[in-house]
Amino acid sequence: MKRPQSPDPEGELPFWRRKAMKDMTQAEWESLCDGCGRCCLNKLQEEGTDRTFYTNVSCKLLDGTSCRCTDYKNRSAKVKDCVTLTTRNINRISWLPPTCAYKLVAAGKDLNWWHPLVSGDPNTVHQAGISVRGKVGASELDVPDDQLEDHIVSWPLKWPKGAKG
């Protein structure tokens, strides 16, 4: 698969390379989300540490095929521990996956070839193996909290082969 270059139609850097995150419009901020769904997997945090374990159990609002929230507008009201990313908290959230565009841009890195803003295609995040499509084992509606340990997986904290660069 040919990896497209970052959009630069008039010799100008794309907004995520030329703007500080705090200066992005709401639409620009929202477009940084690649639609992978990794942050919508249930996570367990080790007591007394910042160590996070991902599970293959999704939030009840995650659509496992589109890898998008089924009620994004009302997600915080419907899911008590749903975290809204902001410019103020982006660097404090330790559990974001390494592929997360918000995390990458906050660290001064560029978006990867599969990100929809780079590729122009929302499906490249799935084609590159970044998204949770086909990897969600169950919804949190079907797995009691005391059984989440049985669903711990390591892939959300890894880069799929060929996804970098």
Side-chain angles (χ1 to χ4, degrees):
M1 175 184 299
K2 185 173 190 248
R3 296 181 181 176
Q5 299 300 310
S6 295
D8 198 2
E10 299 168 352
E12 186 177 292
L13 291 173
F15 74 86
W16 63 88
R17 296 294 293 163
R18 63 183 157 79
K19 284 185 167 184
M21 292 179 107
K22 66 178 181 53
D23 296 329
M24 291 180 186
T25 66
Q26 186 65 30
E28 288 169 337
W29 177 264
E30 293 291 334
S31 71
L32 286 179
C33 177
D34 59 25
C36 75
R38 289 181 182 211
C39 63
C40 299
L41 295 173
N42 279 228
K43 293 161 281 300
L44 298 170
Q45 193 159 16
E46 189 173 63
E47 284 188 48
T49 74
D50 212 16
R51 190 167 178 200
T52 301
F53 297 90
Y54 275 78
T55 71
N56 66 354
V57 177
S58 72
C59 168
K60 64 185 177 185
L61 297 179
L62 182 70
D63 177 317
T65 302
S66 71
C67 301
R68 293 289 185 167
C69 184
T70 58
D71 195 359
Y72 187 75
K73 184 179 176 184
N74 300 304
R75 71 193 186 283
S76 295
K78 291 186 174 186
V79 178
K80 67 176 173 61
D81 56 352
C82 182
V83 175
T84 300
L85 297 179
T86 68
T87 57
R88 287 188 300 261
N89 69 11
I90 193 69
N91 290 314
R92 291 192 315 258
I93 299 174
S94 61
W95 50 258
L96 288 171
T99 57
C100 178
Y102 293 100
K103 184 176 180 173
L104 293 170
V105 171
K109 297 179 181 172
D110 204 355
L111 300 180
N112 287 282
W113 67 268
W114 45 262
H115 193 288
L117 287 173
V118 176
S119 69
D121 181 355
N123 286 311
T124 52
V125 70
H126 308 300
Q127 294 163 352
I130 300 298
S131 79
V132 301
R133 182 182 284 172
K135 300 173 188 170
V136 173
S139 165
E140 66 186 357
L141 295 173
D142 303 318
V143 179
D145 286 349
D146 64 352
Q147 291 179 18
L148 282 174
E149 285 185 25
D150 298 335
H151 293 269
I152 292 175
V153 293
S154 61
W155 59 263
L157 292 169
K158 297 178 181 175
W159 285 87
K161 190 175 184 173
K164 258 188 165 179

